[in-house]
Amino acid sequence: MRSLKFKLSRYNLQVIYTSFIRPILEYVDTVWDNIPIYLKDKLESIQIEAARIVTGATKLCSKSKLYNDNGWVSLSERRSRHKIIKFHEMFHDQAPNYLCSLVLQQLYQDYNYNTRRAFNVQNMNCRTTFYQNSFLPSVIREWNSLPQDVRCNPSKITLKNYINRDIKKVPTFYNTGCRKGQILHARLRLNCSGLNEHLFQKNIVLFRLCICGQVESSKRYLLECHYYRLIRTQTISTLPRCNIQTLLSGSELISDEENENIFEVVQSFILKTGRIGS
Ligand SMILES: [Zn+2]
């Protein structure tokens, strides 16, 4: 992926990661989620690096911003969700018998007396932390914390919609423009560009000011700094009035085509000024 970073589009890089690399990192992950933390971190670092390559962000970008921009969640969170999906299959008799019978053994006995606990599964007694974190004991705890209507619904789609409700769909217009433009635009959006304010926040430069004397923020650079006035009149000023948020991340209030146009114009401004790369 590193060697293709500047050759392929953001979309294609994302497809390479999710189709060829992530499945290897997650092979039968429901059974080995109790591995030591240092190994979990090693796996996570592979996904973080892939997220950096897809967005073009630098090492200065935080993990949460990277994942949010890609519409991803951590591998550890994904393992947890895979375990719940597997347990849902076992609970609703959609898995092989030898798995479903494990649930039957743990089913809460007196749910007739307490409707609030219906569909609860009895927690398992564990003597060691290693066992406590293994598949069955850990997934039962998670299962019991789900809303009852999700647990009692045999539809896997309902379950997936519930557990993945925090995953944001990445706007298609994030794939607009040439690769270089996409990368520099994303760096502005993710606060990890070469602008002095972004470098100052990470203690790389001593001053956050632009040569014009004002704080060199994304807003200052794109909308205000008089050093780029001429290029701005040919690019950003031709757009209908946009706030900084729309210039960086688009807006849900306008169509994808309008957002695409805004992204193309902003990227053209970034490339022509050459301030954060050309
Ligand atoms: Zn300036």
Side-chain angles (χ1 to χ4, degrees), residues 210-212 220 225-228:
C210 171
I211 38 176
C212 67
R220 182 89 201 151
C225 180
H226 62 262
Y227 274 88
Y228 313 111

Side-chain angles (χ1 to χ4, degrees), residues 89-152:
E89 290 171 0
M90 292 159 65
F91 189 91
H92 289 287
D93 258 336
Q94 296 164 2
N97 272 343
Y98 67 91
L99 289 177
C100 299
S101 61
L102 293 172
V103 181
L104 282 176
Q105 289 165 18
Q106 288 300 124
L107 260 183
Y108 207 76
Q109 298 298 312
D110 61 351
Y111 65 83
N112 287 333
Y113 298 105
N114 186 347
T115 48
R116 199 168 57 83
R117 286 182 167 175
F119 291 95
N120 262 17
V121 177
Q122 198 169 19
N123 278 319
M124 298 174 78
N125 291 325
C126 308
R127 283 191 195 158
T128 63
T129 318
F130 187 71
Y131 182 50
Q132 195 178 24
N133 293 335
S134 66
F135 173 69
L136 210 48
S138 64
V139 80
I140 289 174
R141 288 194 301 274
E142 298 265 347
W143 175 261
N144 289 336
S145 67
L146 291 176
Q148 192 177 313
D149 57 332
V150 176
R151 275 180 282 159
C152 64

Side-chain angles (χ1 to χ4, degrees), residues 1-2 6 18 53 58 70-71 81 85 98 102 109 119 121 131 133 160 162 170 175 181 203 221 237 251-252 265 278:
M1 283 180 73
R2 269 194 206 116
F6 294 100
T18 53
I53 293 170
T58 64
N70 275 318
R81 293 174 192 193
I85 293 168
Y98 67 91
L102 293 172
Q109 298 298 312
F119 291 95
V121 177
Y131 182 50
N133 293 335
K160 283 185 177 175
Y162 177 77
V170 180
N175 296 303
N203 298 318
Y221 167 59
S237 302
S251 164
E252 289 176 351
V265 170
S278 53

Side-chain angles (χ1 to χ4, degrees), residues 1-2 5 9-10 12-18 21-22 25 42-57 59 66-67 70 72 75 179:
M1 283 180 73
R2 269 194 206 116
K5 180 175 173 182
S9 72
R10 184 186 162 114
N12 288 332
L13 287 164
Q14 180 140 9
V15 169
I16 288 178
Y17 175 68
T18 53
I21 300 173
R22 196 170 64 188
L25 306 179
K42 265 189 165 178
L43 284 172
E44 203 63 56
S45 66
I46 298 173
Q47 174 158 282
I48 293 171
E49 181 62 12
R52 276 198 204 106
I53 293 170
V54 171
T55 54
K59 295 212 169 188
L66 270 177
Y67 281 0
N70 275 318
W72 296 355
L75 289 175
R179 182 62 183 147

